Coordinates of all heavy atoms in Angstrom, one line a residue:
L1 N -33.7 -71.3 -71.5 CA -33.6 -72.7 -71.3 C -33.1 -73.1 -69.9 O -33.4 -74.2 -69.4 CB -32.8 -73.5 -72.4 CG -33.3 -73.3 -73.8 CD1 -32.5 -74.1 -74.8 CD2 -34.8 -73.7 -73.9
K2 N -32.3 -72.2 -69.3 CA -31.6 -72.6 -68.0 C -31.8 -71.6 -66.9 O -31.4 -71.9 -65.8 CB -30.1 -72.8 -68.3 CG -29.8 -74.0 -69.2 CD -28.3 -74.2 -69.3 CE -28.0 -75.4 -70.2 NZ -26.5 -75.6 -70.3
A3 N -32.4 -70.5 -67.1 CA -32.6 -69.5 -66.0 C -33.4 -70.1 -64.9 O -34.4 -70.8 -65.1 CB -33.3 -68.3 -66.5
E4 N -33.0 -69.9 -63.6 CA -33.7 -70.5 -62.5 C -34.0 -69.4 -61.5 O -33.2 -68.5 -61.2 CB -32.8 -71.5 -61.8 CG -32.6 -72.8 -62.5 CD -31.9 -73.9 -61.7 OE1 -30.7 -73.8 -61.7 OE2 -32.6 -74.7 -61.1
Y5 N -35.2 -69.5 -60.9 CA -35.7 -68.6 -59.9 C -35.4 -69.3 -58.5 O -36.2 -70.1 -58.1 CB -37.2 -68.4 -60.1 CG -37.8 -67.3 -59.2 CD1 -37.2 -66.0 -59.0 CD2 -38.9 -67.5 -58.5 CE1 -37.7 -65.1 -58.2 CE2 -39.5 -66.6 -57.7 CZ -38.9 -65.3 -57.6 OH -39.5 -64.4 -56.8
L6 N -34.3 -68.9 -57.9 CA -33.9 -69.5 -56.7 C -34.1 -68.7 -55.4 O -33.8 -67.4 -55.4 CB -32.4 -69.9 -56.8 CG -32.0 -70.7 -58.0 CD1 -30.5 -70.9 -58.0 CD2 -32.7 -72.1 -57.9
I7 N -34.6 -69.3 -54.4 CA -34.9 -68.5 -53.1 C -33.7 -67.8 -52.6 O -33.8 -66.6 -52.2 CB -35.5 -69.5 -52.1 CG1 -36.9 -69.8 -52.5 CG2 -35.6 -68.8 -50.7 CD1 -37.6 -70.8 -51.6
P8 N -32.5 -68.4 -52.4 CA -31.4 -67.7 -51.9 C -31.0 -66.5 -52.6 O -30.7 -65.4 -52.1 CB -30.2 -68.7 -51.9 CG -30.9 -70.1 -51.9 CD -32.2 -69.8 -52.7
I9 N -31.0 -66.6 -54.0 CA -30.7 -65.4 -54.8 C -31.7 -64.3 -54.7 O -31.4 -63.1 -54.6 CB -30.5 -65.9 -56.3 CG1 -29.3 -66.8 -56.4 CG2 -30.4 -64.6 -57.2 CD1 -29.1 -67.3 -57.8
F10 N -33.0 -64.7 -54.7 CA -34.1 -63.7 -54.5 C -34.0 -63.0 -53.2 O -34.1 -61.8 -53.1 CB -35.4 -64.4 -54.7 CG -36.6 -63.5 -54.5 CD1 -36.8 -62.4 -55.4 CD2 -37.5 -63.6 -53.5 CE1 -37.9 -61.5 -55.3 CE2 -38.6 -62.8 -53.3 CZ -38.8 -61.7 -54.2
I11 N -33.8 -63.8 -52.1 CA -33.7 -63.2 -50.8 C -32.4 -62.3 -50.7 O -32.5 -61.2 -50.1 CB -33.6 -64.2 -49.7 CG1 -35.0 -64.9 -49.5 CG2 -33.1 -63.7 -48.4 CD1 -35.1 -66.0 -48.5
G12 N -31.4 -62.7 -51.4 CA -30.2 -61.8 -51.5 C -30.5 -60.5 -52.2 O -30.0 -59.4 -51.7
E13 N -31.3 -60.5 -53.2 CA -31.7 -59.3 -53.9 C -32.5 -58.4 -53.0 O -32.4 -57.2 -52.9 CB -32.4 -59.6 -55.2 CG -31.6 -60.2 -56.2 CD -32.4 -60.7 -57.4 OE1 -33.6 -60.7 -57.3 OE2 -31.8 -61.2 -58.4
L14 N -33.4 -59.0 -52.2 CA -34.3 -58.3 -51.3 C -33.4 -57.6 -50.2 O -33.6 -56.5 -49.8 CB -35.3 -59.2 -50.6 CG -36.4 -59.7 -51.6 CD1 -37.3 -60.7 -50.8 CD2 -37.2 -58.6 -52.2
L15 N -32.4 -58.4 -49.7 CA -31.5 -57.8 -48.7 C -30.7 -56.6 -49.2 O -30.5 -55.6 -48.5 CB -30.5 -58.9 -48.2 CG -31.1 -60.1 -47.4 CD1 -30.0 -61.2 -47.2 CD2 -31.4 -59.5 -46.0
E16 N -30.3 -56.8 -50.5 CA -29.5 -55.7 -51.1 C -30.3 -54.4 -51.2 O -29.7 -53.3 -51.0 CB -29.1 -56.1 -52.5 CG -28.1 -55.2 -53.2 CD -27.6 -55.7 -54.5 OE1 -27.9 -56.9 -54.8 OE2 -27.0 -54.9 -55.3
H17 N -31.6 -54.5 -51.3 CA -32.4 -53.3 -51.5 C -33.1 -53.0 -50.2 O -34.0 -52.1 -50.2 CB -33.4 -53.5 -52.6 CG -32.8 -53.6 -54.0 ND1 -32.5 -54.8 -54.5 CD2 -32.5 -52.7 -54.9 CE1 -32.0 -54.6 -55.8 NE2 -32.0 -53.3 -56.0
G18 N -32.8 -53.6 -49.1 CA -33.3 -53.3 -47.8 C -34.8 -53.7 -47.7 O -35.5 -53.0 -46.9
K19 N -35.3 -54.6 -48.4 CA -36.7 -55.0 -48.4 C -37.1 -56.1 -47.5 O -38.2 -56.5 -47.4 CB -37.2 -55.3 -49.9 CG -37.1 -54.1 -50.8 CD -37.6 -54.5 -52.2 CE -37.6 -53.3 -53.1 NZ -38.1 -53.7 -54.5
I20 N -36.1 -56.7 -46.9 CA -36.3 -57.9 -46.0 C -35.2 -57.9 -44.9 O -34.1 -57.4 -45.2 CB -36.4 -59.2 -46.7 CG1 -37.0 -60.3 -45.9 CG2 -35.0 -59.6 -47.2 CD1 -37.2 -61.6 -46.7
S21 N -35.6 -58.4 -43.8 CA -34.6 -58.7 -42.7 C -34.6 -60.2 -42.4 O -35.7 -60.7 -42.1 CB -34.9 -57.8 -41.5 OG -34.0 -58.1 -40.4
V22 N -33.5 -60.8 -42.4 CA -33.5 -62.3 -42.1 C -32.5 -62.5 -41.0 O -31.3 -62.2 -41.0 CB -33.0 -63.0 -43.4 CG1 -32.9 -64.5 -43.1 CG2 -33.9 -62.8 -44.6
K23 N -33.0 -63.2 -40.0 CA -32.2 -63.5 -38.8 C -31.6 -64.9 -39.1 O -32.2 -65.8 -39.5 CB -33.1 -63.6 -37.5 CG -32.3 -63.9 -36.3 CD -31.4 -62.7 -35.8 CE -32.3 -61.6 -35.3 NZ -31.4 -60.5 -34.8
V24 N -30.3 -65.0 -38.8 CA -29.5 -66.2 -39.0 C -29.5 -66.9 -37.6 O -29.1 -66.4 -36.6 CB -28.1 -66.0 -39.4 CG1 -27.4 -67.4 -39.6 CG2 -28.1 -65.3 -40.8
L25 N -30.1 -68.1 -37.6 CA -30.1 -68.9 -36.3 C -29.1 -70.0 -36.4 O -29.1 -70.9 -37.2 CB -31.5 -69.6 -36.2 CG -32.7 -68.7 -36.4 CD1 -34.0 -69.5 -36.3 CD2 -32.7 -67.6 -35.3
K26 N -28.0 -69.8 -35.6 CA -26.9 -70.8 -35.7 C -27.3 -72.1 -35.1 O -27.9 -72.2 -34.0 CB -25.7 -70.2 -34.8 CG -24.5 -71.1 -34.9 CD -23.4 -70.5 -34.1 CE -22.1 -71.5 -34.1 NZ -21.0 -70.9 -33.4
T27 N -27.1 -73.1 -35.9 CA -27.4 -74.5 -35.5 C -26.1 -75.3 -35.4 O -25.4 -75.4 -36.3 CB -28.4 -75.2 -36.4 OG1 -27.7 -75.3 -37.7 CG2 -29.6 -74.4 -36.6
N28 N -25.9 -75.8 -34.2 CA -24.7 -76.6 -34.0 C -24.9 -77.5 -32.8 O -25.5 -77.2 -31.8 CB -23.5 -75.7 -33.6 CG -22.2 -76.4 -33.6 OD1 -22.0 -77.4 -34.3 ND2 -21.3 -75.9 -32.8
D29 N -24.5 -78.8 -32.9 CA -24.7 -79.8 -31.9 C -23.8 -79.5 -30.7 O -22.7 -80.1 -30.6 CB -24.5 -81.2 -32.4 CG -25.7 -81.7 -33.2 OD1 -26.8 -81.2 -33.0 OD2 -25.5 -82.6 -34.0
T30 N -24.2 -78.6 -29.8 CA -23.4 -78.3 -28.6 C -23.7 -79.3 -27.6 O -24.6 -80.2 -27.7 CB -23.8 -76.9 -28.1 OG1 -25.2 -77.0 -27.7 CG2 -23.6 -75.8 -29.1
W31 N -22.9 -79.3 -26.5 CA -23.1 -80.3 -25.4 C -24.5 -80.1 -24.8 O -25.1 -81.0 -24.4 CB -22.0 -80.1 -24.3 CG -22.3 -78.9 -23.4 CD1 -21.8 -77.6 -23.6 CD2 -23.1 -78.9 -22.3 NE1 -22.2 -76.8 -22.6 CE2 -23.0 -77.5 -21.8 CE3 -23.8 -79.8 -21.6 CZ2 -23.7 -77.1 -20.6 CZ3 -24.5 -79.4 -20.4 CH2 -24.4 -78.1 -20.0
Y32 N -25.0 -78.8 -24.8 CA -26.3 -78.6 -24.2 C -27.4 -79.2 -25.0 O -28.3 -79.9 -24.5 CB -26.5 -77.1 -24.2 CG -28.0 -76.7 -23.7 CD1 -28.4 -76.9 -22.4 CD2 -28.8 -76.1 -24.6 CE1 -29.7 -76.6 -22.0 CE2 -30.1 -75.7 -24.2 CZ -30.5 -76.0 -22.9 OH -31.8 -75.7 -22.6

């Protein structure tokens, strides 16, 4: 009744098994 298929959790499982590589793009309102 409550199980959810969530992208962050699924991607986390792929990362754990080395099946995906995800680049983190830092977003921050810099002066530039």
